[in-house]
Amino acid sequence: MSEAVISSQNLRDTVIEAVQSQEVTDIHTHLFTPPFGDLLLWGVDELITYHYLIAETFRKTEVSYEKFWRMSKTEQADLIWQTLFIENSPISEACRGIVTTLNELGLDVASRNLQSYRDYFASMKVEDYIDLVFNLAKVKEVVMTNDPFDSAERPVWLSEVSGDPRFQSALRIDPLLNAYHEAACDQLSAFGYDVDRSLSERALGEIRRFLGDWIKRMKPKYMAVSLPPDFQFPEASARGKIIEACILPVSREFNVPFALMIGVKRAVNPHLQLAGDGMGKADLTCLENLLRENQDNKFLVTLLSRENQHELCVLGRKFKNLMIFGCWWFMNNPSIIEEITRERIELLGLSVIPQHSDARILDQLIYKWKHSRQLIGNVLAEKYQDLLDSGWIATKAEIQRDVAALFGGNFYRFIE
Ligand code: FIX
Ligand code: ZN
């Protein structure tokens, strides 16, 4: 047997090295390729004004919501830096992420000098910075979140410019499913699709045509929607009807999986704007129904409630058309990543996608992947050690094969 990994220390080093060096396909981000212009966020002021830090700042500042939202981005970053990094130690996961990122970029985090960090970015060209970040984070490619209803994004797609091929697309359909009557119906009419509010057979056909047109245009890796915790399926609603009559058949026809991100309660505190979303535990009967009744469809699923994670793993054992991915948003904290990764591997072995970054700011790829690699590496090392204790001697090549599957291979095998 070649390069058998027998001693405990050798085993741990081999696993950690495999996880550290494996390039990753990041299957869900909010990043954009450069032709999308200002939609691609990067740099220290964007990092500091990430909505996770905005929510944390309001717990420590007397500045009112109104005053904060009137500030320029630089002023907001100054306030957040002062509040979370100078007057307090940046100990939360989102704050620590900034420290990791600056440190990995070679900046002097001990100086606590925000202006010096701004100076570093001032002369940087975005294309060069993308290379630097992808190299540091060992990210091979990222999947964007692409909304054909978005007025900033849509014209770029219609102009057919081709961007950096490391940025793949995902067709995001929240407006279609979550706000059909409020907005999407009128927008679709304005785009030239003959739809109506009653969702007649003709309108459903037009929605299928719309989805097909955008699949041909974007070549998305999947279609995705975020859903509230009270999502049901089947459901006597516009959303239920569109999923049944449009999303599922189109997903099958074009072999584009349907990604469901369940558990978000949008705007529980609207004063916080993007930082004001909350979450709740879902009833996974909806997924059970979808998976059982549509076994020729592929579903990628991530959930926002910790309390749903175990049930989701059990569903994974029952349905091979379910691929569980990532530790989404409020799940993306060290204690929970470690717990869910262990739970998933114990119940599903190596047939999951353990993490995505959800990066909104390019630089975040650095810390999100550094932190996640550390946690996933530790869990895997423990699991291979358990195997060794049971008498199974893994080889280095086998461990590298397994890690490659977790960091991208499983995704491609599932969607292709
Ligand atoms: O719906 C989503 O894709 C969420 O990830 C975002 O909307 C959310 O604001 C976020 O950034 C979470 O990490
Ligand atoms: Zn997201």
Side-chain angles (χ1 to χ4, degrees), residues 28-30 145 172 261 328-329 356 358 360:
H28 172 58
T29 75
H30 296 265
T145 295
R172 186 73 178 239
M261 308 170 71
W328 183 27
W329 202 342
H356 66 268
D358 232 311
R360 279 184 175 268

Side-chain angles (χ1 to χ4, degrees), residues 28-30 50-52 145 172 174 225-227 261 264 266 274-275 277 304 327-330 332 356-360 364 368:
H28 172 58
T29 75
H30 296 265
Y50 185 32
H51 68 72
Y52 290 27
T145 295
R172 186 73 178 239
D174 285 37
V225 66
S226 71
L227 294 160
M261 308 170 71
V264 56
R266 296 289 179 193
L274 195 56
D277 298 340
L304 207 38
C327 303
W328 183 27
W329 202 342
F330 308 117
N332 201 358
H356 66 268
S357 76
D358 232 311
R360 279 184 175 268
Q364 290 173 337
K368 297 218 183 205

Side-chain angles (χ1 to χ4, degrees), residues 258-408:
F258 183 26
L260 297 100
M261 308 170 71
I262 310 174
V264 56
K265 282 190 199 164
R266 296 289 179 193
V268 294
N269 182 358
H271 293 296
L272 283 170
Q273 299 191 9
L274 195 56
D277 298 340
M279 50 90 56
K281 183 176 183 294
D283 172 0
L284 297 196
T285 313
C286 59
L287 267 184
E288 211 171 275
N289 294 339
L290 265 173
L291 293 161
R292 188 187 50 249
E293 303 306 323
N294 301 281
Q295 304 220 10
D296 294 332
N297 274 81
K298 297 174 188 174
F299 300 91
L300 286 152
V301 175
T302 197
L303 302 176
L304 207 38
S305 165
R306 178 183 177 220
E307 284 63 39
N308 277 139
Q309 303 298 329
H310 180 252
E311 276 172 278
L312 181 63
C313 290
V314 175
L315 278 179
R317 293 182 65 86
K318 307 300 139 191
F319 296 103
K320 67 175 184 176
N321 55 339
L322 165 62
M323 179 57 82
I324 297 170
F325 75 95
C327 303
W328 183 27
W329 202 342
F330 308 117
M331 297 294 96
N332 201 358
N333 294 314
S335 60
I336 302 183
I337 297 170
E338 207 171 283
E339 171 185 295
I340 321 178
T341 304
R342 194 172 281 125
E343 188 169 74
R344 287 173 175 172
I345 286 174
E346 286 167 3
L347 277 159
L348 297 163
L350 295 159
S351 64
V352 296
I353 298 167
Q355 190 56 306
H356 66 268
S357 76
D358 232 311
R360 279 184 175 268
I361 296 120
L362 176 67
D363 329 39
Q364 290 173 337
L365 291 174
I366 299 172
Y367 92 78
K368 297 218 183 205
W369 282 109
K370 186 173 167 71
H371 293 187
S372 288
R373 281 179 201 274
Q374 206 165 27
L375 298 158
I376 295 166
N378 284 340
V379 172
L380 283 178
E382 172 196 302
K383 293 298 163 199
Y384 283 104
Q385 179 62 48
D386 291 347
L387 257 187
L388 182 62
D389 293 345
S390 300
W392 184 269
I393 299 168
T395 68
K396 186 172 175 180
E398 287 168 340
I399 291 170
Q400 287 169 337
R401 172 205 60 198
D402 297 347
V403 172
L406 293 173
F407 280 58

